[in-house]
Each structure stands twice: as structure tokens, then as C-alpha cells.
Amino acid sequence: MSDTVLNVQSLTAGYVPGLPILHDVNMRLGRGEIVAVIGPNGAGKSTLIKAIAGLVLVEEGTIMLGARNLVGIRPDEMAIFGIAYVPQTNNIFRTLTIRQNLMLAAKRSDGLVDDLIERMFTLFEILRDKQLDKGGKLSGGQRQMLAIAMALVAEPTLILMDEPTAGLAPKVAEEILALVQDIAEKGVSIIFVEQNVKAALRISNRTYILAEGRNQIDGSTQELMEGQVIKEIYLGGRRLETS
Amino acid sequence: MIQNLFDGILVGSILSLGAIGLTMVMHMLRFANFSHAELLSLGAYVTFVFDKLLESMVPALSQTIGGLSLTFSLIFAIILSMGVTGVSAIIIDWLVFRRIRDSAGPLSMVFASFGVALIVRNLISLIFGLKPKLYSEEITFAVRVSLDPLILIKLDQVFVLCMALVIMLIFHFVLSRTTFGYALKAVSENPTLSQINGVRLALMIRLIWLIGGGLAAVAGVFYGLNNQVSFLMGKDLVLSLFAAVIVGGIGSIYGAVVGGFLVGLASNMALLILPSGYKPAVPFLIILIILSIRPTGLFGEKK
Amino acid sequence: MIGIVSYLVFFLTMGFVLSIAVLGLNLQWGYTGLFNGGVAAFFGAGAYGVILFGGSNKAGQLIGFGLPYPFAVAGAVLLAGLLAWIVGLITTHLRHDYLAIATFGVAIAVENFARNAEPITGGAKGLRGFERPFETVINDPFWFNLAYLIFVFVVLIIVYNILENIGQSPFGRLLRAIREDEVAAQSLGKSPARVRLQAFIFGSMIMGLSGALYATFYAFISPQDIVPILTFQIWSMLIVGGSGNNKGAVFGTLIVWAGWVGSGWVLTQFAPVEMQLYIGTIQFIMIGLIIVLTLLIRPKGLLPEKLIISRSVARVKPE
Ligand SMILES: Nc1ncnc2c1ncn2[C@@H]1O[C@H](COP(=O)(O)OP(=O)(O)OP(=O)(O)O)[C@@H](O)[C@H]1O
Ligand SMILES: [Mg+2]
């Protein structure tokens, strides 16, 4: 098994002190691994991602990045630790141009910025054509691409993605998922939340199921696919709607 | 008529400078800051002090520029005062607003800002006296641009107007060309997302106070040049500044600039139909009209 | 001796008159979370209203209806309510600090109107000469003032009880629910904007009543009596006492009013001559400090609100 990059241990976290949303959640992520988080609406998937990104109040537990505990690190410092986060909604700046979005996300002003942005444009040709347009003008798929590009341009080692394919046409969603796999192949570790259980199982190395803010069952995707419980829980549609 | 137009534009440019800081604070910190106008009088008095200091230290600086009543020392004093006023705004935030922001809602900050305004305004009058001051005792004569209709314009006023426009232009370039400008826009659109993208919110808030305070200081000096330096300046201007922000739409910097000019013009044009005693009530009417027909202002985003 | 007693009568009369205004503010801010930055406007509407409606028509004076006193007071209260209705209608459904700005503006406009609309308001000289009820019957200033103190006290008790009842009623709970969480209150099927408007108007009418009693006491009103500092004095009284709590409101009023009167007396007695001009300035700083320091150190005031609502409405905000 690959070496552990991120280790979340007995995490209890939420938005209001004393009213945690997540209870005693555990999660592990290896280098270059893709880990999917699935679960019903309101399960706390976004909250878990936000907790890692430093955006919610952690009451108990640790989030170890290597030997370093991330609890208490401000969200604007996460980039220093090589962590990038693509939120579920409102993940680009509508009032800035595509290029300005990327410049801001690159978090540097040296000569390398242009190179990095250029690399993003080779990855997403469509963004190059629109680089002077305001972010608000992009379509859903393009917006998602820009959001991912904004994460990549900071050259992270760990990317957190919250439902990167939500609301996209199936074909575009496929493209995004293929991209996620490409990114991971270059050694970047990825945690992503996915509504589409089949897609999640297909591209991830391991999958965590969250319900009511707690781990339900986890293991390698292979094991999950074969396990009886998992089929009952969601392929059978008891808890989740599979789309 | 044309005289009112010119006076309106002149006052408008001053209001614009003052309203830029106010709109940024109202948008980012989400509270109507009733003490913002006191930064104008603070800036005006600090400039007054620096001006007198510089004049006594370097007499050569007390020479006037061209046909203006302005001296070189006043120009340097303004620059120093911009810094001092901006830093004072940061200190006030640190002493009062930040603490309340952490523990209570935005309306408590509105409330506190009334208290801060009272304290700042009356401390100024306690230190500098109730009598208004002038930057220059020299009487400058207005140039008669035309006799019929009678239009009187002072060179100082032309200078003030030009400087106000230049400062706004510089600010425009900072906003549209620098990473700081993008960051500012980003923060006002989506604070959380900008944090994720490495923008330090606490630092941005400090910068906003610094810029808002600095621009307020210039506005205060210009107002003082045009009228006189009085501790009542803030009290007289606060409603006009809010009117400018609301006309432009809260959070819109360009809106604040346009709003400032519109309010300045409207207040002066209103004198054509209203007795001059009613002038202080004009901004209130503007606010009521805008709030009832277009609460988001000219450039504000819809909720 | 009689001097001290008659001063005490004056002190308490004003204290109770101001208490009524503070209670009105408590309904708006304490119960409902509405920021009224122009208390002086509604107080002023009541004060001018009672003299305009109750006073007789003098030379050069446009209005003066000479109505019997109860009708004059009712008219004054309605005038304050009308003003609140206009401002509230436009602002109570908007971003919350718009109400603060608009009310602050209305206070400036009302003062401005009082100063300039000479045929109606008497301009800067104000309105003088108003025959107070029973003045001719009692015919002795001391006893009249004592009787007036009792009258004001009774009115205060009535207003206090009405507000206490509102506080306990379903309407009062609704107000607090709106203050705590507008979205949750909305989901109960109530229109928060409407309820906020009602509370705003009613609170302003109480301020108008206070203004009417004030003007009755002096049989005189001028723009000087409705300057913005009045708003801040009343605010400081509420927050010192404890917003949300009617007992606290009255208690805070008497404390701050004593502090105001007391500091004025001490300063006139002991401050050096060159400082005499700045007594007002120092007192204004004092009011500012009271507001800021209370907010920082003891935001719930001396007598904090006793929360009666259950915290069942979880504060859940959508993403
Ligand atoms: N900003 C917030 N403040 C308070 N509670 C919140 C906030 N955001 C979410 N919650 C609550 O936290 C719980 C978990 O929400 P979360 O967004 O993590 O769910 P999710 O699993 O991502 O759901 P979805 O599939 O809808 O995205 C929900 O009950 C939600 O109401
Ligand atoms: Mg989610």
C-alpha cells in the first residue's frame, strides 16, 4: 500500500460550537491515490472536505498531513502545504476574467505565472479562447474546468474536490473524471465527493461512505463492490439514490 | 444654474473620495459605519497640524504653488495625513469593531460606530477648539468666468477637482491592473473562495481601512479647502456619504464614485427649487427615493 | 429644601419621560432587533405634534388646532406613527442597516424642517405658549409639576405594562424569533417584513408619546430639543440598562440621566472657566464612551434580558 499522505482521525467538526455535524470520522489517503466520498444528501460530505481545508470548526480529532496536524491552519495557508480545494458551488470568481481567476489562484507573481497559466490553457484549450471573458460568462462545464484549473495552477500535492461533476452533461462529466484520473497518475492525491456512485466506484482506489456525519463502511473499492452490505446500502438504493 | 453645476461637481468629487472607503467597509464588514465621515475631519485636522509643523521646520515650504493658495507644505502634509488617518482607521477597527465583529452581529457594529463617531468628533473639538480653522489665512479671489450668468470659480477649486479625479484614476489602475486589485474584487465577491485561493482576509480588511482612511483624509482636506476645517465636517457629510454609497450600490467602488457626483450635483441643483436651509435634508430624500425604486443602487448586485 | 424637592420633581419627570422613549426603543431594538438611528425624529414629531394640535392659533402661525389635550396627544402619537410608517415601509424589508441610515436621515430631515418651516414650526425660535391641562386649576408651579410628575409616572406604568404583555404574548415571541433568525421565522409562515414594520411603527409611536409629554412639560419646543444627541442619549440608556428587558430600560434611563445631569452640574461648578464652553463636548464624549464600552464590556447591559423562548429553532443556514 502506498505511503499515507493524509490521515484523518476521530474527527468531530461542525459549524456551530457544540453542534457537530461530523462525528468521529476517520479517513486515510495514500500518495497518488483517488479516494471517493459518497453518501446521502446532508451526510456531511462537504463538511468533511471543508474541515480538511480549514473552513469549519474542528472540535476533536486530528488531520495529519505527513507529520503535521492541519487543525488550526487557516484556509489561506493551505496552499503552502500543497493543498488545493475545489468547492461544490461558487467555485470561481464571476466578476474576474478567466485569466485573472488563474492569476489569483496561482498565488505568485513571478515570471512562472505565465508559464503555469499557459500549461492550464494547453490542458483546457477552451479556456484559452475565453481568457479575457468574465468568469460569469462560462457554461457549467467550463466553469468546473476553470475551478479545477485554479486548483492545479497552484501545483498542489493534494486536491479536494466537492462534486466536480454535479450538474454536468454525462459527456462532460466523463471528461472531468478522466482528468481526475490523469491528475492522480502524476502523483497528486485526490479526495473527491461524488453523487454518482458507479462513477465513484469506477475511478477511485478506495471509497468512504458517510451518513449522518459518520463513517458507514470503507475499504478498497474492490472489496466494497463485492461486499454484500454495500450493495444493500446503496446499489440497492436503500439510502442513496444512485443516478 | 451653471454655478450650481460646478459647485455640485466639485462637492461630488469630494464625496466620491469619501464614499469609496465607506462602500468597501459596508460591503466587506457588512455594517453601515457612521464613523466613516469622522475620518474626513480627522484627516483634515491631521493635515492642518502637519502643515503648520512643516512650515515652521522648513520655511521654504510655505511658498504657495502657482496662483493657488496651497503651499508645498500642505501637499506633503496631505500625504502624511493619508497614512496617519488610514492607520487610525485600522486602530479603531482593532480597538472596537473587530472585537464586536467577533462576538455580536453587524447591527451592534452600526451601534458602536455611532459611539465612535461621537467620541472622535468631540475629541477633535476638545483638542482643536470649537472655532473652525483655515489652511491659509490668505484670501484668494475667485475668477469671474462669466458675468451673465454670474459664475465664480477659484483656482483652488479647479485644483481640488483635478486632484480628486487624478486620485480616483490612480485607484482605478490599482484595481484593474494589480494582483491586489483582483484580490480586492475577489474578496468582495466571495470571501471564502478568496481565502481558499490564498488571500488573507485579515490583511485585506486592514488594507481596506488603510485605503478608505487615506482617501477620506484627502476628501476631508479638499472639503476643508473649499469651506473650512471644522469638527462638524463629519456630522455634515455623513448622510451625503451614505447617499452616495446607496445610489452607487453597496460594494461597488465605481458606483460610489458615480454616486458621489450624483449626490453632489443633486444637492446643489436642489437649491434652485428649495430654500438653502433645506440643503441638509436633500441626501435623505435621495436615499428614500433610491431605496424605494432601486434598493440595489445603480451598480449593486441583486441579492 | 423646597429647591431640592422641586429639582427632584423635575429630575424624575424628565427621567420618566425619557424612560418612555427608551421603552419604545426597546420594543424596536431589544425585542425585534430593529436599528432606529433617528429616535429624535419620532420624539420630535410627538413633541411638535402635541403643541400644533393642542395649541391655539397665534399670529403668523399657520397651524394650531386648539384640540382638547387627549386629542392633541393622540394626534401627536399618530403623527410619529405616520412618519415611522413612511420610513418603515421603504426600509424594513431591506438589508438591516438601511433602516439605520434612513432613520438617521429622517431625524436630520425633521430637525431641518423644524428649523426652516417657520410658519408651521416657528423656526429656530420654536413654538411657545401652550396651555397645559389643569394649569389654571392648580395654579401653583410646584404643585402643578408634582401633579404632572404623577401623571407621567402613571403613563410610564401603563406603557411598561403594555410592553411587558406584548413581550409575553405570541406576538412578542414572534418578534424575538425574527430577531434571532429571520429565515426560521419566515418558515413559520409569518412575513417578517410586516411584523418588523408593525413593531417599528408601534415603537416610534411610543417615542412620539414621550415627545408629547416632554413638550407638555415645558409648554415649549424648539429644534434645539430634537438634535441628534438625543438619539444617542436614549440609545445609551437602553444599552446600559439591558436591551430586551423593560425593567433594565427604565433603570438604565435613570442611571444615565443622573449621570448626564450630575456631570453637567459638576462640570459647571468645578471646571476651569476656559473649559466651560466645552461642557457639552465632554458630555458627548461620555455618551460615546458609554455606548462603546458597554458594547465591548457588558453588551447585555446591567439587567440582561431573560430569554423565555426555547432555543428549539436550530440555527441552520443554507450553504
Ligand atoms: N454553513 C453551514 N452552517 C450550518 N450548518 C450547515 C452549513 N452548511 C451545511 N450545514 C449542515 O451540515 C449538514 C451536512 O451538510 P453537508 O453540506 O456537509 O452535506 P453534504 O453531504 O455535502 O450534502 P450534499 O449532498 O447536499 O452536498 C447538513 O445538515 C447541513 O444543513
Ligand atoms: Mg455537499
Side-chain angles (χ1 to χ4, degrees):
Chain A
M1 187 117 278
S2 57
D3 51 345
T4 302
V5 174
L6 189 82
N7 201 353
V8 177
Q9 281 174 321
S10 11
L11 185 71
T12 296
Y15 300 90
V16 183
L19 283 175
I21 303 284
L22 300 175
H23 304 270
D24 198 21
V25 170
N26 294 291
M27 181 182 216
R28 201 184 61 78
L29 176 72
R31 186 167 316 285
E33 231 186 354
I34 302 179
V35 156
V37 180
I38 57 177
N41 286 105
K45 306 181 296 292
S46 298
T47 308
L48 174 59
I49 298 276
K50 283 189 219 165
I52 301 171
L55 287 163
V56 296
L57 200 78
V58 172
E59 296 191 7
E60 266 171 62
T62 54
I63 302 170
M64 303 301 291
L65 182 82
R68 169 112 210 191
N69 190 352
L70 290 181
V71 173
I73 305 266
R74 288 198 315 265
D76 57 85
E77 297 170 315
M78 286 294 168
I80 304 169
F81 301 97
I83 299 177
Y85 161 47
V86 184
Q88 181 172 355
T89 50
N90 295 324
N91 47 19
I92 61 153
F93 295 105
R94 280 171 287 116
T95 52
L96 298 181
T97 65
I98 311 303
R99 199 181 177 83
Q100 288 168 346
N101 266 288
L102 289 168
M103 285 170 74
L104 194 73
K107 304 172 193 71
R108 58 205 293 171
S109 45
D110 53 16
L112 270 180
V113 175
D114 287 338
D115 272 5
L116 283 168
I117 293 179
E118 188 49 40
R119 238 186 283 167
M120 290 307 124
F121 286 156
T122 24
L123 207 53
F124 306 98
E125 281 296 336
I126 183 94
L127 294 182
R128 186 200 303 277
D129 304 339
K130 302 196 168 226
Q131 56 175 301
L132 297 180
D133 284 357
K134 289 269 162 71
K137 282 190 171 180
L138 297 182
S139 71
Q142 294 164 349
R143 194 174 47 96
Q144 211 51 258
M145 286 178 194
L146 174 59
I148 295 173
M150 284 167 73
L152 289 176
V153 79
E155 303 195 287
T157 53
L158 164 60
I159 304 185
L160 312 165
M161 293 190 200
D162 199 346
E163 302 199 19
T165 64
L168 300 184
K171 203 162 150 268
V172 188
E174 271 315 310
E175 274 175 47
I176 299 274
L177 290 174
L179 181 72
V180 170
Q181 281 177 304
D182 284 351
I183 298 169
E185 253 156 46
K186 301 202 176 84
V188 178
S189 317
I190 295 174
I191 299 176
F192 81 115
V193 177
E194 182 57 66
Q195 288 284 6
N196 184 330
V197 176
K198 287 195 184 109
L201 292 175
R202 181 161 48 83
I203 74 158
S204 66
N205 301 99
R206 284 182 306 112
T207 302
Y208 287 85
I209 305 170
L210 222 55
E212 286 157 15
R214 292 172 204 276
N215 287 109
Q216 296 302 315
I217 182 170
D218 54 85
S220 82
T221 299
Q222 200 58 44
E223 286 162 16
L224 285 180
M225 295 278 256
E226 285 158 10
Q228 199 50 46
V229 196
I230 181 72
K231 285 194 179 128
E232 221 175 83
I233 289 183
Y234 60 96
L235 292 184
R238 204 181 73 188
R239 289 209 193 185
L240 332 159
E241 302 124 41
T242 50
S243 45
Chain B
M1 170 77 192
I2 296 177
Q3 181 76 48
N4 291 59
L5 208 65
F6 177 77
D7 291 343
I9 292 174
L10 183 67
V11 174
S13 69
I14 294 170
L15 290 177
S16 297
L17 284 177
I20 291 174
L22 184 57
T23 204
M24 291 197 291
V25 165
M26 278 182 75
H27 182 74
M28 293 280 309
L29 303 179
R30 304 209 55 78
F31 80 104
N33 180 10
F34 279 84
S35 65
H36 188 80
E38 304 309 322
L39 294 176
L40 274 76
S41 41
L42 183 65
Y45 276 96
V46 171
T47 304
F48 182 82
V49 173
F50 277 127
D51 182 39
K52 295 289 169 266
L53 272 178
L54 286 171
E55 265 182 11
S56 64
M57 285 189 319
V58 193
L61 286 178
S62 56
Q63 219 185 352
T64 56
I65 307 169
L68 306 170
S69 75
L70 283 93
T71 59
F72 287 100
S73 61
L74 187 71
I75 303 288
F76 289 120
I78 292 176
I79 295 168
L80 290 172
S81 168
M82 283 175 79
V84 170
T85 311
V87 171
S88 309
I90 296 176
I91 293 174
I92 293 173
D93 181 58
W94 183 77
L95 279 177
V96 182
F97 298 129
R98 184 186 55 99
R99 287 158 208 265
I100 294 171
R101 194 156 61 231
D102 292 344
S103 61
L107 282 180
S108 292
M109 288 201 275
V110 177
F111 191 1
S113 75
F114 275 107
V116 170
L118 269 181
I119 295 171
V120 173
R121 183 187 309 149
N122 290 290
L123 274 182
I124 288 177
S125 86
L126 205 56
I127 295 169
F128 294 97
L130 298 169
K131 271 226 302 281
K133 301 203 177 304
L134 293 170
Y135 288 118
S136 157
E137 302 298 333
E138 263 175 71
I139 298 165
T140 53
F141 292 97
V143 179
R144 204 167 53 207
V145 181
S146 93
L147 240 183
D148 184 38
L150 181 66
I151 300 172
L152 298 167
I153 291 176
K154 288 185 190 173
L155 266 184
D156 282 4
Q157 294 178 319
V158 178
F159 172 82
V160 163
L161 182 59
C162 293
M163 279 317 290
L165 292 175
V166 167
I167 290 169
M168 285 186 259
L169 210 62
I170 293 174
F171 192 57
H172 162 72
F173 280 112
V174 170
L175 274 186
S176 59
R177 298 288 151 85
T178 64
T179 325
F180 166 73
Y182 310 150
L184 195 64
K185 260 196 191 169
V187 170
S188 61
E189 181 187 327
N190 188 339
T192 313
L193 185 61
S194 45
Q195 250 186 318
I196 295 165
N197 281 291
V199 178
R200 259 190 81 184
L201 277 191
L203 183 70
M204 289 308 277
I205 290 173
R206 256 172 266 154
L207 283 171
I208 283 171
W209 284 114
L210 188 70
I211 295 171
L215 294 178
V218 187
V221 175
F222 287 176
Y223 189 81
L225 277 171
N226 202 28
N227 305 283
Q228 49 191 4
V229 182
S230 148
F231 73 100
L232 290 173
M233 186 188 287
K235 183 173 175 252
D236 292 342
L237 287 178
V238 60
L239 204 56
S240 300
L241 291 175
F242 277 125
V245 168
I246 290 177
V247 167
I250 293 179
S252 166
I253 288 166
Y254 299 109
V257 171
V258 175
F261 280 107
L262 287 180
V263 171
L265 276 173
S267 302
N268 278 281
M269 299 310 261
L271 296 186
L272 295 174
I273 44 172
L274 280 177
S276 66
Y278 287 105
K279 199 173 170 191
V282 175
F284 169 67
L285 294 179
I286 298 175
I287 290 174
L288 275 199
I289 292 171
I290 290 287
L291 288 187
S292 45
I293 58 176
R294 197 183 158 88
T296 52
L298 294 178
F299 302 93
E301 305 165 34
K302 295 191 182 52
K303 263 209 281 200
Chain C
M1 185 61 207
I2 196 89
I4 293 177
V5 173
S6 65
Y7 189 80
L8 200 66
V9 169
F10 158 77
F11 173 83
L12 285 176
T13 309
M14 274 304 121
F16 293 154
V17 166
L18 290 169
S19 293
I20 294 173
V22 175
L23 284 174
L25 185 64
N26 193 28
L27 175 64
Q28 296 176 341
W29 170 251
Y31 284 19
T32 326
L34 291 168
F35 197 104
N36 184 345
V39 177
F42 306 102
F43 182 93
Y48 273 93
V50 80
I51 296 195
L52 288 176
F53 288 122
S56 51
N57 211 340
K58 281 175 290 294
Q61 191 69 42
L62 216 59
I63 312 184
F65 294 106
L67 296 178
Y69 188 67
F71 291 102
V73 173
V77 169
L78 286 178
L79 190 64
L82 182 72
L83 193 64
W85 180 69
I86 296 171
V87 178
L89 205 57
I90 298 174
T91 52
T92 41
H93 62 281
L94 298 173
R95 189 181 139 148
H96 291 192
D97 44 10
Y98 281 148
L99 181 67
I101 299 172
T103 44
F104 181 78
V106 83
I108 289 182
V110 166
E111 187 199 335
N112 194 249
F113 183 79
R115 266 184 215 289
N116 289 284
E118 218 163 300
I120 300 172
T121 62
K125 295 191 308 301
L127 289 177
R128 196 179 291 279
F130 168 66
E131 196 190 308
R132 302 182 288 183
F134 300 109
E135 198 173 12
T136 41
V137 180
I138 297 180
N139 203 14
D140 173 276
F142 176 78
W143 291 110
F144 177 83
N145 285 350
L146 194 64
Y148 192 68
L149 170 64
I150 294 166
F151 170 64
V152 169
F153 185 64
V154 170
V155 176
L156 172 63
I157 299 283
I158 294 171
V159 171
Y160 179 91
N161 278 313
I162 292 176
L163 286 179
E164 279 291 294
N165 282 331
I166 289 181
Q168 319 275 321
S169 72
F171 184 69
R173 283 197 293 276
L174 183 61
L175 295 181
R176 287 188 166 91
I178 286 174
R179 181 191 69 185
E180 294 299 321
D181 192 330
E182 186 143 336
V183 182
Q186 200 155 19
S187 64
L188 298 176
K190 310 285 177 185
S191 153
R194 239 183 90 107
V195 178
R196 284 155 56 87
L197 180 62
Q198 286 164 356
F200 180 67
I201 294 176
F202 190 53
S204 300
M205 287 166 75
I206 296 175
M207 293 168 191
L209 175 64
S210 162
L213 293 173
Y214 176 90
T216 309
F217 179 73
Y218 286 108
F220 169 65
I221 187 74
S222 81
Q224 216 43 47
D225 297 310
I226 58 166
V227 288
I229 188 68
L230 175 67
T231 300
F232 307 129
Q233 284 171 314
I234 286 176
W235 268 105
S236 64
M237 290 165 178
L238 178 61
I239 185 155
V240 163
S243 49
N245 182 331
N246 290 319
K247 251 190 221 83
V250 177
F251 182 56
T253 308
L254 295 179
I255 290 183
V256 173
W257 175 230
W260 178 267
V261 174
S263 64
W265 183 79
V266 168
L267 286 168
T268 33
Q269 293 295 308
F270 302 109
V273 188
E274 64 274 17
M275 285 307 289
Q276 291 293 329
L277 262 179
Y278 291 91
I279 289 174
T281 309
I282 294 169
Q283 285 185 303
F284 290 180
I285 295 177
M286 195 180 80
I287 293 288
L289 282 174
I290 290 178
I291 291 177
V292 172
L293 292 179
T294 314
L295 279 171
L296 287 177
I297 298 167
R298 207 185 159 88
K300 294 195 184 327
L302 295 173
L303 301 181
E305 173 182 14
K306 286 188 254 345
L307 270 189
I308 25 182
I309 46 161
S310 64
R311 290 250 167 200
S312 60
V313 197
R315 302 256 241 131
V316 179
K317 298 236 164 66
E319 212 178 339

